[in-house]
C-alpha cells in the first residue's frame, strides 16, 4: 500500500495527514489487527473530527483582528431556543445589510450555550470590516433587540487561537448543562453544535501518494521536514496506529515564519 498524504493548505500553515499499512513503516506493510470500537471510543473519535473540521474552517475563513464575540441577555432572562434563534436572525440580517453596503462579505460561525444557572448566551466569530466600528454596531443592535450586552475579544489568527476557538465551539455539553436542558424540556442537539454562514470556505485536502522509501526517514526519525519559510510545530507531531482501521498515521502542522 502506498502512503496516502492529505495536505490542507491555509494562509499561515499547512496541516499534514499520512496514513499507511504497517507498524510505523516496518517491512511487510501489513495492517495491525483491528478492534471493534466501543461507544465511548466512537464518541471520542467523532469529537476529534468535529474539532479538526471546525478548526480548519476557522483557519480558512478568519484572520487576525476578527471579532470573537459573546452576546448575553439581561440577568434572569429565560427564552426558548426558537426565540433565541429569532434574535440571532434579526441581528444577522442587520449585519448582512451593513456589510453589503460596505462591499464586504459577512462571514460568521456561532454556537448557542446555556450557563450553569440556565441563562442562554451566544458565542460568535465574525470577520471585521476594516475601518468600521462593527463592535459598536453589534452592541447597539443587540441591546435594542434584547436589552443584553456584547463582549468582544480580538481573534489573534494563530494556531493556538484557532484551536481554542474551535474547541470551544464544539465542546461537549456538561452533565449540569444536560440536566438543565432536560428539566426545561429543551432539545440538547440545539445546543451541542455550531452554525455558520453559507459563504464559508470548507477545508478540502490535496491528496498525494508516496512509496515507502520516500517516507522512511521521517518515520524512523520522527522529524518531518519543513519547507522553506515554515517550521514544524513540534506539539502537532503525532504518530500512532488507528486501532479500528489497522492503519498507521502521522499528523503534523507546518507554520509560516521562523523556527519555533
Amino acid at each position: 500500500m502506498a502512503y496516502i498524504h492529505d495536505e490542507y493548505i491555509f494562509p499561515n500553515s499547512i496541516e499534514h495527514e499520512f496514513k499507511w499499512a504497517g507498524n510505523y513503516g516496518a517491512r511487510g506493510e501489513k495492517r495491525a489487527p483491528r478492534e471493534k470500537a466501543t461507544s465511548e471510543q466512537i464518541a471520542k473519535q467523532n469529537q476529534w473530527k468535529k474539532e479538526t473540521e471546525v478548526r480548519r474552517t476557522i483557519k480558512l475563513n478568519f484572520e487576525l483582528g476578527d471579532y470573537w464575540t459573546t452576546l448575553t441577555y439581561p440577568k434572569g432572562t429565560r427564552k426558548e431556543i426558537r426565540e433565541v434563534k429569532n434574535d440571532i436572525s434579526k441581528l444577522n440580517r442587520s449585519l448582512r445589510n451593513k456589510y453589503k453596503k460596505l462591499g464586504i462579505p459577512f462571514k460568521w460561525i456561532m454556537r448557542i450555550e446555556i450557563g450553569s444557572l440556565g441563562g442562554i448566551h451566544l458565542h460568535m466569530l465574525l470577520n471585521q470590516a476594516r475601518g468600521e466600528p462593527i463592535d459598536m454596531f453589534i452592541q447597539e443592535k443587540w441591546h435594542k433587540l434584547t436589552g443584553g450586552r456584547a463582549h468582544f475579544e480580538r481573534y489573534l489568527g494563530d494556531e493556538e487561537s484557532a484551536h481554542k476557538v474551535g474547541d470551544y465551539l464544539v465542546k461537549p455539553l456538561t452533565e449540569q448543562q444536560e440536566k438543565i436542558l432536560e428539566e426545561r424540556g429543551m432539545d440538547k442537539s440545539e445546543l451541542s453544535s455550531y452554525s455558520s454562514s453559507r459563504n464559508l470556505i470548507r477545508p478540502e485536502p490535496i491528496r498525494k501518494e508516496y512509496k515507502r522509501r520516500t517516507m522512511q526517514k521521517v518515520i524512523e526519525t520522527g522529524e518531518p521536514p519543513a519547507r522553506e519559510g515554515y517550521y514544524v510545530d513540534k506539539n502537532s507531531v503525532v504518530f500512532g496506529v488507528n486501532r479500528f482501521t489497522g492503519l498507521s498515521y502521522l499528523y503534523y502542522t507546518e507554520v509560516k515564519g521562523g523556527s519555533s
Side-chain angles (χ1 to χ4, degrees):
M1 174 184 174
Y3 290 77
I4 303 301
H5 177 200
D6 286 338
E7 187 177 73
Y8 294 84
I9 300 177
F10 307 98
N12 297 307
S13 64
I14 303 170
E15 293 188 22
H16 300 269
E17 290 186 2
F18 288 91
K19 303 179 185 71
W20 66 94
N23 186 15
Y24 297 91
R27 293 187 183 278
E29 302 296 326
K30 295 180 181 179
R31 291 177 185 247
R34 304 185 209 186
E35 298 179 16
K36 185 176 180 179
T38 65
S39 58
E40 184 178 347
Q41 289 167 333
I42 291 172
K44 186 176 181 180
Q45 179 71 7
N46 288 341
Q47 181 64 26
W48 177 83
K49 287 180 179 179
K50 285 181 184 179
E51 292 168 356
T52 301
E53 178 188 74
V54 72
R55 180 187 73 248
R56 288 173 174 167
T57 300
I58 287 170
K59 288 168 66 173
L60 275 176
N61 293 278
F62 299 96
E63 61 184 14
L64 173 66
D66 286 343
Y67 294 101
W68 175 235
T69 309
T70 302
L71 302 172
T72 63
Y73 286 92
K75 187 175 181 180
T77 300
R78 293 292 182 269
K79 287 197 172 190
E80 297 298 322
I81 294 299
R82 59 180 176 78
E83 296 176 300
V84 175
K85 287 186 172 182
N86 189 47
D87 291 336
I88 295 168
S89 180
K90 289 178 181 177
L91 174 65
N92 281 353
R93 191 178 305 123
S94 296
L95 284 166
R96 277 196 302 272
N97 291 336
K98 176 73 170 177
Y99 277 67
K100 186 176 181 179
K101 290 178 182 178
L102 296 170
I104 301 170
F106 172 46
K107 299 189 294 184
W108 57 270
I109 187 166
M110 171 191 292
R111 179 172 178 177
I112 303 171
E113 186 172 16
I114 192 162
S116 59
L117 298 179
I120 286 180
H121 56 279
L122 305 96
H123 298 286
M124 173 192 280
L125 179 62
L126 69 153
N127 61 311
Q128 61 180 309
R130 296 188 184 280
E132 290 290 326
I134 292 297
D135 51 348
M136 298 299 295
F137 180 83
I138 293 172
Q139 175 65 77
E140 180 184 340
K141 291 293 182 182
W142 186 249
H143 185 73
K144 186 176 180 180
L145 276 170
T146 69
R149 295 180 176 276
H151 173 73
F152 301 90
E153 296 179 35
R154 289 292 187 170
Y155 174 63
L156 298 180
D158 55 13
E159 287 296 305
E160 183 179 356
S161 297
H163 275 273
K164 182 179 178 180
V165 172
D167 290 355
Y168 200 95
L169 286 169
V170 297
K171 66 180 180 178
L173 294 170
T174 65
E175 289 184 7
Q176 178 67 13
Q177 288 172 320
E178 290 191 353
K179 182 179 179 182
I180 292 171
L181 293 175
E182 185 178 351
E183 289 174 348
R184 293 177 59 181
M186 300 170 73
D187 183 358
K188 71 177 184 181
S189 67
E190 298 275 14
L191 286 89
S192 59
S193 60
Y194 67 91
S195 57
S196 65
S197 55
R198 294 179 181 178
N199 60 349
L200 297 188
I201 303 168
R202 301 297 175 176
E204 293 289 343
I206 298 171
R207 174 158 289 191
K208 304 174 184 178
E209 292 189 6
Y210 296 95
K211 298 297 183 181
R212 180 177 183 275
R213 61 180 177 274
T214 306
M215 285 293 298
Q216 190 63 27
K217 184 177 180 180
V218 174
I219 293 167
E220 289 176 348
T221 63
E223 296 179 0
R227 66 197 67 192
E228 185 176 354
Y230 287 77
Y231 67 89
V232 173
D233 178 1
K234 294 180 180 179
N235 292 325
S236 72
V237 180
V238 181
F239 276 101
V241 177
N242 188 312
R243 295 180 296 174
F244 316 122
T245 65
L247 294 176
S248 294
Y249 60 82
L250 163 64
Y251 302 149
Y252 69 94
T253 301
E254 291 180 85
V255 180
K256 187 177 291 185
S259 59
S260 62

